[in-house]
Amino acid sequence: MTDLLNFDKVKYIGNSGFKAGDGFHFYNPEEEIQGKKMKDWLKFSVAYWHTMDQRLVDPFGDGTAVRPWDSISDPMDQALAKVDYLFEFLDKMDVDYFAFHDRDLAPQGNTLRETNANLDKVIDKIEQKMHETGKKLLWNTSNLFTDVRFLAGGATSPFADVFAYAGAEIKHSLEIAKRLGSESYVFWGGREGYDYLENTDTKRELDHIAAFFRLAVDYAKEIGYKGQFLIEPKPMEPTSHQYDRDAQTAIAFLKTYGLDKDFKLNLEGNHAFLAGHTYEHEVRFAREAGLLGSLDANMGDKLIGWDIDEFPNDIYESTLVMYEFLLNGGLPTGGLNFDAKPRRQSFEMEDLRLGHMAGMDTYAAGLRVASKLLDDKYFKGILEDRYSSFDSGIGADFEAGKTKFADFENYVIDKPESEIFKNVKSGRQEQIKSTVNNYIFNVLGGK
Ligand code: XUL
Ligand code: CO
């Protein structure tokens, strides 16, 4: 096969030198961490909509991207050619997985039948390539937000014909998921929310989308698709309020409608930030609910208010996210999907290579540091010590369900304030943060 992309396969070169770009400094696919190869923990994935389709637009400017497939003018020819580029990119980046929306792959026709036929031609080629290369589909999804018909949402559209269209579209996407062995199936509620409360029947829309999800689960059973369903929370944008605001809101929704046995969460760094949370916060709450499914590994920008989908480069964040990830035992049916794009001024193909390398090294570095934090039981020790007063006495009685408010009253009623405060300890936040810095420096620098 002649090379379409003019760069060599990226290799692990270790912690040598300062300048990035010559190879992976921290991602060593075959190296074992916590008894498992790094590539089996991390399961990196290329996002088709960004890496193959994104023109690097922003709300104020046209696309700047220069791509080798731009010269192919026929839309179907270009769609088919991009599949070759994708698979070569996966090979050269040493990435085993990819993810897509149905509409990322092929142009729409005049009817859903025509659209499906265009899509299936590309799926035929993808299936063939997967077979030849062993690359895998991390997840697929349907785009229910770009086309004008979805201006008020898909599964929460107030218009029944649009709602029906959304259902028909998902049906075909699930057939594709089954055919390609997709590990998960994602619902990101792009316009599933509202712009204006007073023209929206929120209860009716939530009932609709919950029933819609149930139909998806039923259809998956009917066709024998066994992948994990995922909801991807985001607080707003493009709607002013998205129903799946953040992890805790999505968990409450799933439990309210009895969907928590069939769905988990796909959590994204930039979405966490837009919701006013850290990324590790979102991952923590999903993990504790037993609903951590997959990660869209990207970053927000503290100075820009919108979803910028930057490639991850923050090792402090990746360390804390990977710590939660390790406590979860990794992501059996998920991975780290780079829902990320280079900056608008990084318009060359080379920037896609460098962006993925940055993301992969950032999470590989995070995994290494998190593994050491886990081995040393550093955070575990802090928590055990901080809550130790619940291990005996009144605290233990309470946790065992043996106390009533009257028992608390008896216990404290005559104690002087100094006695109550005696066992209150400093949270030592400054020391802990600084210790995490030391872990990062020592684990990554000490070679
Ligand atoms: C949008 C976003 C989506 C989902 C898939 O903010 O994150 O690309 O990941 O629909
Ligand atoms: Co995403």
Side-chain angles (χ1 to χ4, degrees):
M1 185 182 84
T2 47
D3 280 8
L4 296 167
L5 299 168
N6 63 350
F7 63 88
D8 294 333
K9 188 159 179 158
V10 183
K11 300 230 158 53
Y12 174 67
I13 56 172
N15 198 353
S16 59
F18 291 104
K19 188 163 155 256
D22 290 339
F24 295 121
H25 295 284
F26 302 111
Y27 182 53
N28 186 9
E30 300 296 324
E31 185 180 328
E32 290 208 353
I33 303 255
Q34 300 284 335
K36 203 154 117 177
K37 288 182 180 170
M38 286 183 104
K39 68 173 187 188
D40 295 330
W41 277 122
L42 292 165
K43 293 168 69 186
F44 290 125
S45 152
V46 164
Y48 206 98
W49 56 102
H50 281 313
T51 300
M52 308 312 296
D53 291 344
Q54 176 56 246
R55 305 307 305 170
L56 308 182
V57 293
D58 74 13
F60 302 94
D62 294 341
T64 59
V66 177
R67 301 289 179 250
W69 50 83
D70 291 347
S71 55
I72 306 171
S73 52
D74 178 75
M76 257 332 273
D77 288 348
Q78 192 187 75
L80 290 165
K82 283 199 294 194
V83 174
D84 292 316
Y85 282 98
L86 170 75
F87 280 86
E88 190 177 314
F89 190 75
L90 292 170
D91 175 50
K92 289 188 161 172
M93 296 309 301
D94 216 344
V95 169
D96 288 337
Y97 292 85
F98 60 105
F100 61 78
H101 304 81
D102 47 4
R103 298 295 165 265
D104 300 342
L105 299 180
Q108 293 204 69
N110 287 322
T111 59
L112 184 59
R113 190 184 300 281
E114 280 179 28
T115 301
N116 285 348
N118 289 350
L119 177 56
D120 289 345
K121 274 189 207 141
V122 179
I123 296 294
D124 288 344
K125 184 161 179 183
I126 288 179
E127 188 179 34
Q128 174 71 24
K129 284 272 180 189
M130 287 172 73
H131 186 69
E132 282 165 24
T133 61
K135 301 291 176 194
K136 290 168 271 189
L137 183 58
L138 188 67
W139 51 261
N140 66 316
T141 182
S142 269
N143 179 330
L144 303 182
F145 45 88
T146 301
D147 192 275
V148 289
R149 79 176 75 83
F150 296 125
L151 58 84
T156 60
S157 174
F159 312 112
D161 284 10
V162 177
F163 183 90
Y165 194 103
E169 191 175 326
I170 300 282
K171 174 178 178 287
H172 195 60
S173 276
L174 289 172
E175 289 156 6
I176 290 169
K178 155 88 177 153
R179 190 173 156 194
L180 300 184
S182 190
E183 294 204 3
S184 296
Y185 188 86
V186 167
F187 287 94
W188 168 61
R191 293 183 197 274
E192 315 295 15
Y194 64 79
D195 291 328
Y196 183 49
L197 191 60
E198 307 315 326
N199 69 8
T200 307
D201 189 336
T202 44
K203 173 77 168 69
R204 201 165 180 180
E205 290 197 0
L206 282 164
D207 287 350
H208 283 179
I209 196 170
F212 188 91
F213 286 152
R214 177 58 53 211
L215 291 177
V217 171
D218 290 348
Y219 190 60
K221 286 206 180 102
E222 194 181 319
I223 62 173
Y225 171 58
K226 299 207 165 50
Q228 174 66 52
F229 280 103
L230 299 173
I231 283 183
E232 183 177 326
K234 183 175 180 181
M236 79 289 269
E237 193 194 316
T239 62
S240 50
H241 174 92
Q242 192 163 308
Y243 292 130
D244 307 317
R245 241 200 94 70
D246 60 4
Q248 283 190 290
T249 309
I251 291 164
F253 164 81
L254 291 174
K255 289 190 188 281
T256 301
Y257 286 97
L259 289 163
D260 51 313
K261 302 284 171 292
D262 295 300
F263 281 78
K264 289 186 174 172
L265 303 185
N266 180 38
L267 296 162
E268 175 166 326
N270 206 154
H271 296 178
F273 176 69
L274 290 175
H277 302 307
T278 60
Y279 198 6
E280 59 271 22
H281 162 107
E282 289 292 85
V283 180
R284 164 79 65 90
F285 278 86
R287 174 179 70 74
E288 288 184 334
L291 296 179
L292 178 56
S294 198
L295 298 174
D296 266 9
N298 70 8
M299 266 181 34
D301 184 317
K302 293 182 180 62
L303 305 178
I304 298 181
W306 70 75
D307 191 11
I308 66 156
D309 291 339
E310 187 168 2
F311 277 100
N313 56 48
D314 180 340
I315 295 179
Y316 200 94
E317 179 172 274
S318 68
T319 293
L320 299 179
V321 168
M322 283 293 99
Y323 181 74
E324 297 294 335
F325 166 100
L326 284 177
L327 289 185
N328 196 61
L331 302 169
T333 55
L336 274 77
N337 175 52
F338 290 117
D339 190 353
K341 59 186 176 188
R343 299 307 81 205
R344 212 161 161 269
Q345 298 184 51
S346 307
F347 52 85
E348 295 176 351
M349 193 67 210
E350 169 69 348
D351 296 302
L352 278 175
R353 186 184 78 96
L354 294 167
H356 285 82
M357 283 173 76
M360 292 163 82
D361 256 350
T362 298
Y363 270 89
L367 180 66
R368 288 175 187 274
V369 183
S371 166
K372 177 73 174 145
L373 285 161
L374 192 70
D375 282 346
D376 289 358
K377 302 187 172 54
Y378 178 60
F379 291 135
K380 190 166 187 268
I382 289 170
L383 296 186
E384 279 171 7
D385 182 52
R386 193 152 198 243
Y387 294 85
S388 59
S389 60
F390 282 91
D391 295 336
S392 60
I394 187 84
D397 287 349
F398 159 69
E399 285 198 349
K402 292 184 195 154
T403 51
K404 298 195 162 120
F405 278 162
D407 300 312
F408 297 147
E409 188 181 54
N410 285 339
Y411 183 73
V412 299
I413 195 95
D414 294 318
K415 278 195 203 293
E417 267 310 306
S418 58
E419 185 76 8
I420 301 287
F421 201 77
K422 204 176 65 192
N423 294 317
V424 175
K425 297 175 186 169
S426 165
R428 295 276 190 265
Q429 193 169 319
E430 295 72 13
Q431 182 189 27
I432 297 169
K433 287 190 168 180
S434 179
T435 303
V436 173
N437 280 345
N438 289 344
Y439 267 87
I440 292 172
F441 295 144
N442 289 308
V443 171
L444 302 180
K447 286 231 172 117

